[in-house]
Coordinates of all heavy atoms in Angstrom, one line a residue:
M1 N 0.8 -1.2 0.0 CA 0.0 0.0 0.0 C 0.9 1.2 0.0 O 1.8 1.3 0.8 CB -0.9 0.0 1.2 CG -1.8 1.2 1.3 SD -2.9 1.0 2.7 CE -3.7 2.6 2.6
D2 N 0.6 2.2 -0.9 CA 1.4 3.4 -1.0 C 0.5 4.5 -0.5 O -0.7 4.7 -0.9 CB 1.7 3.6 -2.5 CG 2.5 4.9 -2.7 OD1 3.0 5.5 -1.7 OD2 2.6 5.3 -3.9
W3 N 1.0 5.4 0.4 CA 0.2 6.4 1.0 C 1.1 7.5 1.6 O 2.3 7.4 1.7 CB -0.7 5.8 2.1 CG 0.0 5.0 3.1 CD1 0.6 3.7 2.9 CD2 0.3 5.3 4.5 NE1 1.1 3.3 4.0 CE2 1.0 4.2 5.0 CE3 0.0 6.4 5.3 CZ2 1.4 4.1 6.3 CZ3 0.4 6.3 6.6 CH2 1.1 5.2 7.1
G4 N 0.4 8.6 1.9 CA 1.1 9.8 2.4 C 0.7 10.2 3.8 O -0.1 9.4 4.5
G5 N 1.1 11.3 4.3 CA 0.9 11.7 5.7 C -0.6 12.0 6.1 O -0.9 11.9 7.2
H6 N -1.4 12.2 5.1 CA -2.8 12.6 5.4 C -3.5 11.4 6.1 O -4.4 11.6 6.9 CB -3.6 13.0 4.2 CG -3.3 14.4 3.8 ND1 -2.2 14.7 3.1 CD2 -3.9 15.6 4.2 CE1 -2.1 16.1 2.9 NE2 -3.1 16.6 3.6
I7 N -3.1 10.2 5.8 CA -3.7 9.0 6.5 C -3.5 9.1 8.0 O -4.5 8.9 8.8 CB -3.1 7.7 5.9 CG1 -3.4 7.6 4.4 CG2 -3.6 6.5 6.7 CD1 -4.8 7.3 4.0
I8 N -2.3 9.4 8.4 CA -2.0 9.5 9.8 C -2.6 10.8 10.4 O -3.2 10.8 11.4 CB -0.5 9.5 10.0 CG1 0.2 8.2 9.4 CG2 -0.1 9.7 11.5 CD1 -0.2 7.0 10.1
K9 N -2.4 11.9 9.7 CA -2.9 13.2 10.1 C -4.4 13.2 10.4 O -4.9 13.8 11.4 CB -2.6 14.3 9.1 CG -3.1 15.6 9.4 CD -2.8 16.6 8.3 CE -3.6 17.8 8.4 NZ -3.7 18.6 7.3
C10 N -5.1 12.4 9.6 CA -6.6 12.4 9.8 C -7.1 11.3 10.8 O -8.2 11.1 11.0 CB -7.3 12.1 8.4 SG -7.0 13.5 7.3
G11 N -6.1 10.7 11.5 CA -6.5 9.7 12.5 C -6.9 8.3 12.0 O -7.7 7.7 12.7
L12 N -6.4 7.9 10.9 CA -6.9 6.6 10.3 C -5.9 5.5 10.7 O -6.1 4.4 10.2 CB -7.0 6.7 8.8 CG -8.1 7.7 8.3 CD1 -8.1 7.8 6.8 CD2 -9.5 7.3 8.8
T13 N -5.0 5.7 11.6 CA -4.1 4.6 12.1 C -4.8 3.4 12.5 O -4.4 2.3 12.2 CB -3.1 5.2 13.2 OG1 -2.4 6.3 12.6 CG2 -2.1 4.1 13.6
P14 N -5.9 3.5 13.3 CA -6.6 2.3 13.7 C -7.1 1.5 12.6 O -7.1 0.2 12.6 CB -7.8 2.8 14.6 CG -7.3 4.1 15.1 CD -6.4 4.7 14.0
L15 N -7.5 2.1 11.5 CA -8.0 1.4 10.3 C -6.8 0.6 9.7 O -7.0 -0.5 9.2 CB -8.6 2.4 9.3 CG -9.1 1.8 8.0 CD1 -10.2 0.8 8.2 CD2 -9.5 2.9 7.0
L16 N -5.6 1.3 9.6 CA -4.5 0.6 9.0 C -4.1 -0.6 9.9 O -3.8 -1.7 9.3 CB -3.3 1.5 9.0 CG -3.4 2.7 8.0 CD1 -2.2 3.6 8.2 CD2 -3.5 2.2 6.6
I17 N -4.1 -0.5 11.2 CA -3.8 -1.6 12.1 C -4.8 -2.8 11.8 O -4.4 -3.9 11.7 CB -3.8 -1.2 13.5 CG1 -2.7 -0.2 13.8 CG2 -3.8 -2.4 14.5 CD1 -2.7 0.5 15.1
E18 N -6.1 -2.4 11.7 CA -7.1 -3.5 11.5 C -6.9 -4.2 10.1 O -7.0 -5.4 10.0 CB -8.5 -2.8 11.5 CG -9.6 -3.9 11.3 CD -11.0 -3.2 11.4 OE1 -11.1 -2.1 11.9 OE2 -11.9 -3.9 10.9
M19 N -6.5 -3.4 9.1 CA -6.2 -4.0 7.8 C -5.0 -4.9 7.8 O -5.0 -5.9 7.1 CB -6.1 -2.9 6.7 CG -7.3 -2.1 6.5 SD -7.1 -0.6 5.4 CE -6.9 -1.4 3.8
I20 N -4.0 -4.6 8.6 CA -2.9 -5.5 8.8 C -3.3 -6.7 9.5 O -3.0 -7.8 9.1 CB -1.8 -4.8 9.6 CG1 -1.2 -3.6 8.8 CG2 -0.7 -5.7 10.0 CD1 -0.3 -2.7 9.6
E21 N -4.0 -6.6 10.6 CA -4.5 -7.8 11.4 C -5.4 -8.7 10.6 O -5.3 -9.9 10.7 CB -5.2 -7.3 12.6 CG -4.2 -6.7 13.6 CD -4.9 -6.0 14.8 OE1 -6.2 -5.8 14.8 OE2 -4.3 -5.7 15.8
E22 N -6.1 -8.1 9.6 CA -7.1 -8.9 8.8 C -6.4 -9.5 7.6 O -7.0 -10.3 6.8 CB -8.3 -8.1 8.4 CG -9.2 -7.7 9.6 CD -9.9 -8.8 10.2 OE1 -10.2 -9.8 9.6 OE2 -10.0 -8.8 11.5
G23 N -5.1 -9.1 7.4 CA -4.3 -9.7 6.3 C -4.6 -9.0 4.9 O -4.1 -9.5 3.9
F24 N -5.2 -7.8 4.9 CA -5.4 -7.1 3.7 C -4.2 -6.3 3.2 O -4.0 -6.0 2.1 CB -6.6 -6.1 3.9 CG -7.9 -6.7 4.0 CD1 -8.6 -6.6 5.2 CD2 -8.5 -7.4 3.0 CE1 -9.8 -7.2 5.4 CE2 -9.7 -8.0 3.1 CZ -10.4 -8.0 4.4
I25 N -3.3 -6.0 4.2 CA -2.1 -5.3 3.9 C -0.9 -6.0 4.5 O -0.9 -6.5 5.6 CB -2.1 -3.8 4.5 CG1 -3.2 -3.0 3.9 CG2 -0.8 -3.1 4.3 CD1 -3.4 -1.7 4.5
S26 N 0.2 -6.2 3.7 CA 1.4 -6.8 4.2 C 2.6 -5.9 4.2 O 3.6 -6.3 4.9 CB 1.7 -8.1 3.4 OG 1.9 -7.7 2.1
A27 N 2.5 -4.8 3.5 CA 3.7 -3.9 3.5 C 3.2 -2.5 3.2 O 2.1 -2.3 2.5 CB 4.7 -4.3 2.4
F28 N 4.0 -1.5 3.6 CA 3.7 -0.1 3.4 C 4.8 0.6 2.6 O 6.0 0.3 2.9 CB 3.5 0.7 4.7 CG 2.2 0.4 5.4 CD1 2.3 -0.3 6.6 CD2 1.0 0.7 4.9 CE1 1.2 -0.6 7.4 CE2 -0.2 0.4 5.6 CZ 0.0 -0.3 6.9
V29 N 4.5 1.5 1.8 CA 5.4 2.4 1.1 C 4.9 3.8 1.5 O 3.7 4.1 1.2 CB 5.5 2.2 -0.4 CG1 6.4 3.3 -1.0 CG2 6.0 0.8 -0.7
C30 N 5.7 4.6 2.1 CA 5.2 5.9 2.5 C 6.3 7.0 2.4 O 7.4 6.7 2.2 CB 4.6 5.9 3.9 SG 5.7 5.3 5.1
N31 N 5.8 8.3 2.5 CA 6.8 9.4 2.4 C 7.1 9.9 3.7 O 6.6 9.5 4.8 CB 6.2 10.5 1.5 CG 4.9 11.0 2.0 OD1 4.7 11.1 3.2 ND2 4.0 11.5 1.1
G32 N 8.0 10.9 3.8 CA 8.5 11.5 5.0 C 7.4 12.2 5.8 O 7.5 12.3 7.1
A33 N 6.3 12.6 5.2 CA 5.2 13.3 6.0 C 4.6 12.3 6.9 O 4.1 12.7 8.0 CB 4.2 13.8 5.0
V34 N 4.6 11.0 6.6 CA 4.0 10.0 7.5 C 4.8 10.0 8.8 O 4.2 9.9 9.9 CB 4.1 8.6 6.8 CG1 3.7 7.5 7.8 CG2 3.2 8.6 5.6
V35 N 6.1 10.1 8.7 CA 7.0 10.1 9.9 C 6.6 11.3 10.8 O 6.5 11.2 12.0 CB 8.5 10.0 9.6 CG1 9.3 10.2 10.8 CG2 8.8 8.8 8.8
I36 N 6.6 12.4 10.2 CA 6.3 13.7 10.9 C 4.9 13.6 11.6 O 4.8 13.9 12.8 CB 6.3 14.9 10.0 CG1 7.7 15.1 9.3 CG2 5.9 16.2 10.7 CD1 8.8 15.4 10.3
H37 N 3.9 13.2 10.9 CA 2.5 13.2 11.5 C 2.4 12.1 12.5 O 1.8 12.3 13.5 CB 1.5 13.1 10.4 CG 1.3 14.3 9.6 ND1 1.1 15.5 10.1 CD2 1.4 14.5 8.2 CE1 1.0 16.4 9.1 NE2 1.2 15.8 8.0
D38 N 3.0 11.0 12.3 CA 3.0 9.9 13.3 C 3.7 10.4 14.6 O 3.2 10.1 15.7 CB 3.7 8.7 12.7 CG 3.5 7.5 13.6 OD1 2.4 7.2 14.1 OD2 4.5 6.7 13.8
Y39 N 4.8 11.1 14.4 CA 5.5 11.6 15.6 C 4.7 12.6 16.3 O 4.5 12.5 17.5 CB 6.8 12.3 15.1 CG 7.6 12.9 16.2 CD1 8.3 12.2 17.1 CD2 7.7 14.3 16.3 CE1 9.0 12.8 18.1 CE2 8.4 15.0 17.3 CZ 9.1 14.2 18.2 OH 9.8 14.8 19.2
E40 N 4.1 13.5 15.6 CA 3.3 14.5 16.2 C 2.1 13.9 17.0 O 1.7 14.3 18.1 CB 2.7 15.5 15.2 CG 3.8 16.4 14.6 CD 3.3 17.3 13.5 OE1 2.4 16.9 12.7 OE2 3.9 18.3 13.2
N41 N 1.4 13.0 16.3 CA 0.2 12.4 16.9 C 0.5 11.4 18.0 O -0.2 11.4 19.0 CB -0.6 11.7 15.8 CG -1.2 12.7 14.8 OD1 -1.4 13.9 15.1 ND2 -1.6 12.2 13.7
C42 N 1.4 10.5 17.8 CA 1.6 9.4 18.8 C 2.5 9.8 19.9 O 2.2 9.4 21.1 CB 2.2 8.2 18.1 SG 1.1 7.5 16.8
L43 N 3.6 10.5 19.7 CA 4.5 10.8 20.8 C 4.2 12.1 21.5 O 4.3 12.2 22.7 CB 6.0 10.9 20.2 CG 6.5 9.6 19.7 CD1 7.9 9.8 19.1 CD2 6.5 8.5 20.7
L44 N 3.8 13.1 20.8 CA 3.5 14.4 21.4 C 2.0 14.7 21.6 O 1.7 15.4 22.5 CB 4.1 15.5 20.5 CG 5.6 15.4 20.2 CD1 6.0 16.5 19.2 CD2 6.4 15.6 21.5
W45 N 1.2 14.1 20.7 CA -0.2 14.4 20.7 C -0.5 15.9 20.7 O -1.3 16.4 21.5 CB -1.0 13.7 21.8 CG -2.4 13.6 21.4 CD1 -3.5 14.2 22.0 CD2 -3.0 12.8 20.3 NE1 -4.6 13.9 21.4 CE2 -4.4 13.1 20.3 CE3 -2.5 12.0 19.4 CZ2 -5.2 12.5 19.4 CZ3 -3.3 11.4 18.4 CH2 -4.7 11.7 18.5
Q46 N 0.3 16.6 19.9 CA 0.1 18.0 19.8 C -0.6 18.3 18.4 O -0.7 17.4 17.6 CB 1.5 18.7 19.8 CG 2.2 18.6 21.1 CD 3.6 19.2 21.0 OE1 4.0 19.7 20.0 NE2 4.2 19.3 22.2
V47 N -0.9 19.6 18.3 CA -1.5 20.0 17.0 C -0.5 19.8 15.9 O 0.6 20.1 16.1 CB -2.0 21.5 17.1 CG1 -2.5 21.9 15.8 CG2 -3.0 21.6 18.2
S48 N -1.0 19.3 14.8 CA -0.1 19.0 13.7 C 0.5 20.3 13.1 O -0.2 21.3 13.1 CB -0.9 18.3 12.6 OG -0.1 18.2 11.4
S49 N 1.7 20.2 12.6 CA 2.3 21.4 12.0 C 1.6 21.8 10.8 O 1.8 22.9 10.2 CB 3.8 21.1 11.7 OG 3.9 20.0 10.8
R50 N 0.7 21.0 10.3 CA -0.1 21.3 9.1 C -1.3 22.1 9.4 O -2.1 22.4 8.5 CB -0.4 20.0 8.3 CG 0.8 19.3 7.8 CD 1.5 19.9 6.7 NE 0.6 19.9 5.5 CZ 0.8 20.5 4.4 NH1 1.9 21.2 4.2 NH2 -0.1 20.5 3.5
C51 N -1.6 22.4 10.6 CA -2.7 23.3 11.0 C -2.4 24.7 10.6 O -2.0 25.5 11.5 CB -3.1 23.1 12.4 SG -3.7 21.4 12.8
V52 N -2.4 25.1 9.4 CA -1.9 26.3 8.9 C -2.6 27.5 9.5 O -1.9 28.5 10.0 CB -2.1 26.4 7.4 CG1 -1.6 27.7 6.8 CG2 -1.4 25.2 6.7
A53 N -3.9 27.5 9.6 CA -4.6 28.7 10.1 C -4.2 29.1 11.5 O -4.0 30.3 11.8 CB -6.1 28.5 10.1
R54 N -3.9 28.1 12.3 CA -3.5 28.4 13.7 C -2.1 29.0 13.8 O -1.8 29.8 14.7 CB -3.7 27.2 14.5 CG -3.6 27.4 16.0 CD -4.2 26.2 16.7 NE -3.9 26.4 18.1 CZ -4.1 25.4 19.0 NH1 -4.5 24.3 18.6 NH2 -3.8 25.7 20.2
F55 N -1.2 28.5 13.0 CA 0.2 28.9 13.1 C 0.7 30.0 12.2 O 1.8 30.5 12.4 CB 1.1 27.7 13.0 CG 0.9 26.7 14.1 CD1 0.2 25.5 13.9 CD2 1.3 27.0 15.4 CE1 0.0 24.6 14.9 CE2 1.1 26.1 16.4 CZ 0.4 24.9 16.2
I56 N 0.0 30.3 11.2 CA 0.4 31.3 10.2 C 0.5 32.7 10.8 O 1.3 33.5 10.4 CB -0.5 31.2 8.9 CG1 0.2 31.9 7.7 CG2 -1.8 31.9 9.2 CD1 1.2 31.0 7.1
I57 N -0.4 32.9 11.8 CA -0.4 34.3 12.4 C 0.9 34.6 13.1 O 1.4 35.7 12.9 CB -1.6 34.4 13.4 CG1 -2.9 34.2 12.6 CG2 -1.6 35.7 14.2 CD1 -4.1 34.0 13.4
D58 N 1.5 33.7 13.8 CA 2.7 34.0 14.6 C 4.0 33.6 13.8 O 5.1 33.7 14.3 CB 2.7 33.3 16.0 CG 2.7 31.8 15.9 OD1 2.9 31.3 14.8 OD2 2.6 31.2 17.0
G59 N 3.8 33.1 12.6 CA 4.9 32.8 11.8 C 5.6 31.5 12.0 O 6.7 31.2 11.5
S60 N 5.0 30.6 12.8 CA 5.6 29.4 13.1 C 5.1 28.2 12.2 O 5.4 27.1 12.5 CB 5.3 29.0 14.6 OG 3.9 28.8 14.8
F61 N 4.4 28.6 11.2 CA 4.0 27.5 10.2 C 5.1 26.7 9.7 O 6.1 27.2 9.3 CB 3.2 28.1 9.1 CG 2.9 27.2 8.0 CD1 2.0 26.1 8.2 CD2 3.5 27.2 6.8 CE1 1.6 25.2 7.2 CE2 3.2 26.3 5.7 CZ 2.3 25.3 6.0
G62 N 5.0 25.4 9.7 CA 6.0 24.5 9.2 C 6.8 23.8 10.3 O 6.8 22.6 10.5
M63 N 7.4 24.6 11.1 CA 8.2 24.2 12.2 C 9.2 23.0 11.9 O 9.4 22.1 12.6 CB 7.3 23.7 13.4 CG 6.4 24.9 13.9 SD 5.1 24.3 15.0 CE 3.9 23.8 13.8
A64 N 9.7 23.1 10.7 CA 10.6 22.0 10.2 C 11.8 21.8 11.0 O 12.2 20.7 11.3 CB 10.9 22.2 8.7
E65 N 12.5 22.9 11.4 CA 13.7 22.8 12.1 C 13.5 22.0 13.5 O 14.3 21.2 13.8 CB 14.3 24.1 12.4 CG 15.7 24.1 13.1 CD 16.3 25.4 13.2 OE1 15.9 26.4 12.6 OE2 17.3 25.5 13.9
E66 N 12.5 22.4 14.2 CA 12.2 21.8 15.5 C 11.9 20.3 15.3 O 12.4 19.5 16.1 CB 11.0 22.5 16.2 CG 11.3 23.9 16.6 CD 11.0 24.9 15.5 OE1 10.7 24.5 14.3 OE2 11.1 26.1 15.8
K67 N 11.1 20.0 14.4 CA 10.7 18.6 14.2 C 12.0 17.8 13.8 O 12.1 16.6 14.2 CB 9.6 18.4 13.1 CG 8.3 19.0 13.5 CD 7.7 18.2 14.7 CE 6.4 18.8 15.1 NZ 6.4 19.5 16.4
A68 N 12.8 18.3 12.9 CA 14.0 17.6 12.5 C 14.9 17.3 13.7 O 15.4 16.2 13.9 CB 14.7 18.4 11.5
K69 N 15.1 18.3 14.6 CA 15.9 18.1 15.8 C 15.3 17.1 16.7 O 16.1 16.2 17.2 CB 16.1 19.5 16.5 CG 17.0 20.4 15.8 CD 17.2 21.7 16.5 CE 18.0 22.7 15.8 NZ 18.1 24.0 16.5
E70 N 14.0 17.2 16.9 CA 13.4 16.2 17.8 C 13.5 14.8 17.3 O 13.7 13.8 18.0 CB 11.9 16.6 18.0 CG 11.7 17.9 18.8 CD 10.3 18.5 18.7 OE1 9.4 17.8 18.0 OE2 10.1 19.6 19.2
L71 N 13.2 14.6 16.0 CA 13.3 13.3 15.4 C 14.7 12.7 15.3 O 14.9 11.5 15.5 CB 12.7 13.3 14.0 CG 11.1 13.4 13.9 CD1 10.6 13.7 12.5 CD2 10.5 12.1 14.4
T72 N 15.7 13.6 15.1 CA 17.0 13.2 15.2 C 17.4 12.7 16.6 O 18.0 11.6 16.7 CB 18.0 14.3 14.7 OG1 17.7 14.7 13.4 CG2 19.5 13.9 14.8
A73 N 17.0 13.4 17.6 CA 17.3 13.0 19.0 C 16.6 11.7 19.3 O 17.2 10.8 19.9 CB 16.9 14.1 19.9
L74 N 15.4 11.5 18.9 CA 14.6 10.3 19.1 C 15.3 9.1 18.4 O 15.4 8.0 18.9 CB 13.2 10.5 18.6 CG 12.3 9.2 18.8 CD1 12.2 8.8 20.2 CD2 11.0 9.5 18.1
S75 N 15.7 9.3 17.1 CA 16.3 8.3 16.4 C 17.6 7.8 17.0 O 17.9 6.6 17.1 CB 16.7 8.8 14.9 OG 15.5 9.1 14.3
I76 N 18.4 8.7 17.6 CA 19.6 8.4 18.2 C 19.3 7.5 19.5 O 20.0 6.5 19.7 CB 20.5 9.6 18.6 CG1 21.0 10.3 17.3 CG2 21.6 9.3 19.6 CD1 21.6 11.7 17.5
K77 N 18.3 7.9 20.3 CA 17.9 7.1 21.4 C 17.5 5.7 21.1 O 17.9 4.7 21.7 CB 16.8 7.8 22.2 CG 17.2 9.0 22.9 CD 16.0 9.6 23.7 CE 16.4 10.9 24.4 NZ 15.2 11.5 25.1
V78 N 16.7 5.6 20.0 CA 16.3 4.3 19.6 C 17.4 3.4 19.1 O 17.6 2.3 19.5 CB 15.2 4.4 18.5 CG1 14.9 3.1 17.8 CG2 13.9 5.0 19.0
L79 N 18.3 4.0 18.3 CA 19.5 3.3 17.8 C 20.4 2.8 18.9 O 20.9 1.7 18.9 CB 20.3 4.1 16.8 CG 19.6 4.3 15.4 CD1 20.3 5.3 14.6 CD2 19.4 3.0 14.7
M80 N 20.6 3.6 20.0 CA 21.4 3.3 21.1 C 20.8 2.1 21.8 O 21.5 1.2 22.3 CB 21.6 4.5 22.0 CG 22.5 5.5 21.4 SD 24.1 4.9 20.9 CE 24.9 4.5 22.5
R81 N 19.5 2.1 22.0 CA 18.8 1.0 22.7 C 18.9 -0.3 21.9 O 19.1 -1.4 22.4 CB 17.3 1.3 22.9 CG 17.2 2.3 24.0 CD 15.7 2.6 24.3 NE 15.6 3.6 25.3 CZ 14.5 4.1 25.8 NH1 13.3 3.7 25.2 NH2 14.4 5.0 26.7
V82 N 18.8 -0.2 20.6 CA 18.9 -1.4 19.7 C 20.4 -1.9 19.8 O 20.6 -3.1 19.9 CB 18.5 -1.1 18.3 CG1 19.0 -2.2 17.3 CG2 17.1 -0.8 18.2
W83 N 21.3 -1.0 19.8 CA 22.7 -1.4 19.9 C 23.0 -2.1 21.2 O 23.6 -3.2 21.2 CB 23.6 -0.2 19.8 CG 25.1 -0.5 19.8 CD1 25.9 -1.1 18.9 CD2 25.9 -0.4 21.0 NE1 27.1 -1.3 19.3 CE2 27.2 -0.8 20.6 CE3 25.8 0.1 22.2 CZ2 28.3 -0.8 21.5 CZ3 26.8 0.2 23.1 CH2 28.1 -0.3 22.7
V84 N 22.5 -1.6 22.3 CA 22.7 -2.3 23.6 C 22.0 -3.6 23.6 O 22.5 -4.6 24.1 CB 22.1 -1.4 24.8 CG1 22.1 -2.1 26.1 CG2 23.0 -0.1 24.9
W85 N 20.8 -3.7 23.1 CA 20.1 -5.0 23.0 C 20.8 -6.0 22.2 O 21.0 -7.2 22.6 CB 18.7 -4.7 22.4 CG 17.8 -5.9 22.3 CD1 17.2 -6.6 23.2 CD2 17.5 -6.5 21.0 NE1 16.5 -7.7 22.7 CE2 16.7 -7.6 21.3 CE3 17.8 -6.3 19.7 CZ2 16.2 -8.5 20.3 CZ3 17.3 -7.1 18.7 CH2 16.5 -8.2 19.0
E86 N 21.3 -5.6 21.0 CA 22.1 -6.5 20.2 C 23.4 -7.0 20.9 O 23.7 -8.2 20.8 CB 22.4 -5.9 18.8 CG 21.2 -5.8 17.9 CD 21.5 -5.1 16.6 OE1 22.6 -4.4 16.5 OE2 20.7 -5.2 15.7
K87 N 24.0 -6.1 21.5 CA 25.2 -6.4 22.3 C 25.0 -7.5 23.3 O 25.7 -8.4 23.5 CB 25.8 -5.1 22.9 CG 27.2 -5.3 23.5 CD 27.7 -4.0 24.0 CE 29.0 -4.1 24.7 NZ 29.5 -2.9 25.3
Q88 N 23.9 -7.3 24.0 CA 23.5 -8.3 25.1 C 23.2 -9.6 24.5 O 23.5 -10.7 25.0 CB 22.3 -7.7 25.9 CG 22.0 -8.6 27.1 CD 23.1 -8.6 28.1 OE1 23.8 -7.6 28.4 NE2 23.4 -9.8 28.7
L89 N 22.5 -9.6 23.3 CA 22.2 -10.9 22.6 C 23.4 -11.7 22.3 O 23.5 -12.9 22.5 CB 21.3 -10.6 21.4 CG 19.9 -10.4 21.6 CD1 19.2 -10.1 20.2 CD2 19.2 -11.6 22.2
V90 N 24.4 -10.9 21.7 CA 25.7 -11.6 21.3 C 26.4 -12.1 22.5 O 26.9 -13.2 22.5 CB 26.5 -10.6 20.5 CG1 28.0 -11.1 20.3 CG2 25.9 -10.2 19.2
K91 N 26.4 -11.3 23.6 CA 27.1 -11.7 24.8 C 26.4 -13.0 25.4 O 27.1 -13.9 25.8 CB 27.0 -10.6 25.9 CG 27.7 -10.9 27.2 CD 27.6 -9.7 28.1 CE 28.2 -10.0 29.4 NZ 28.1 -8.9 30.4
N92 N 25.1 -13.1 25.4 CA 24.4 -14.2 25.9 C 24.7 -15.4 25.0 O 24.8 -16.6 25.5 CB 22.9 -14.0 26.0 CG 22.6 -13.0 27.1 OD1 23.4 -12.7 28.0 ND2 21.4 -12.4 27.0
Y93 N 24.7 -15.2 23.7 CA 25.0 -16.3 22.8 C 26.4 -16.9 22.9 O 26.6 -18.1 22.9 CB 24.8 -15.8 21.3 CG 25.0 -16.9 20.3 CD1 24.0 -17.9 20.1 CD2 26.2 -17.0 19.6 CE1 24.2 -18.9 19.1 CE2 26.4 -17.9 18.6 CZ 25.4 -18.9 18.4 OH 25.6 -19.9 17.5
V94 N 27.4 -16.0 23.1 CA 28.8 -16.5 23.3 C 29.0 -17.3 24.5 O 29.7 -18.2 24.6 CB 29.7 -15.3 23.2 CG1 31.1 -15.7 23.5 CG2 29.7 -14.6 21.8
Q95 N 28.3 -16.9 25.6 CA 28.4 -17.6 26.9 C 27.8 -18.9 26.9 O 27.4 -19.7 26.7 CB 27.8 -16.7 28.0 CG 28.6 -15.5 28.2 CD 28.0 -14.6 29.3 OE1 26.9 -14.9 29.8 NE2 28.7 -13.5 29.7

């Protein structure tokens, strides 16, 4: 299934999960907007950066720099946890 950020932005994640569980979907191809909206909705549960009318007045529309920094920091944390987990697996296997 090929899709963009509007699926996530509009709150259709439960539908995607159901489609996976029912075997209708086995793989996704998506763009970078999916990552941004998923991050905003799931981790922060804040208003999406695409809510133009609300943010255009104070000039904060887009907020690309902030999201990039936050996602980079999150990615580093996740990668470090995976690295520690893999290291432990190898250590347990060798012993």
Side-chain angles (χ1 to χ4, degrees):
M1 179 176 176
D2 180 13
W3 49 291
H6 283 84
I7 299 290
I8 301 295
K9 178 185 163 194
C10 294
L12 297 175
T13 303
L15 178 63
L16 293 174
I17 293 169
E18 184 178 342
M19 292 172 76
I20 292 168
E21 290 173 345
E22 295 293 325
F24 292 111
I25 297 174
S26 61
F28 291 111
V29 175
C30 54
N31 61 30
V34 172
V35 175
I36 298 295
H37 290 306
D38 189 45
Y39 175 73
E40 291 171 334
N41 291 339
C42 296
L43 297 178
L44 301 175
W45 201 248
Q46 294 178 354
V47 176
S48 171
S49 61
R50 298 287 295 174
C51 294
V52 180
R54 193 162 172 193
F55 294 107
I56 199 80
I57 295 169
D58 67 4
S60 63
F61 171 68
M63 300 168 278
E65 183 177 350
E66 293 85 354
K67 293 294 179 252
K69 287 179 181 178
E70 293 165 3
L71 284 168
T72 299
L74 178 64
S75 298
I76 290 169
K77 286 181 183 179
V78 169
L79 288 172
M80 291 303 294
R81 287 185 183 175
V82 168
W83 180 77
V84 169
W85 177 73
E86 287 178 342
K87 187 176 176 182
Q88 188 63 42
L89 280 177
V90 170
K91 182 179 177 183
N92 291 342
Y93 180 76
V94 171
Q95 293 178 354

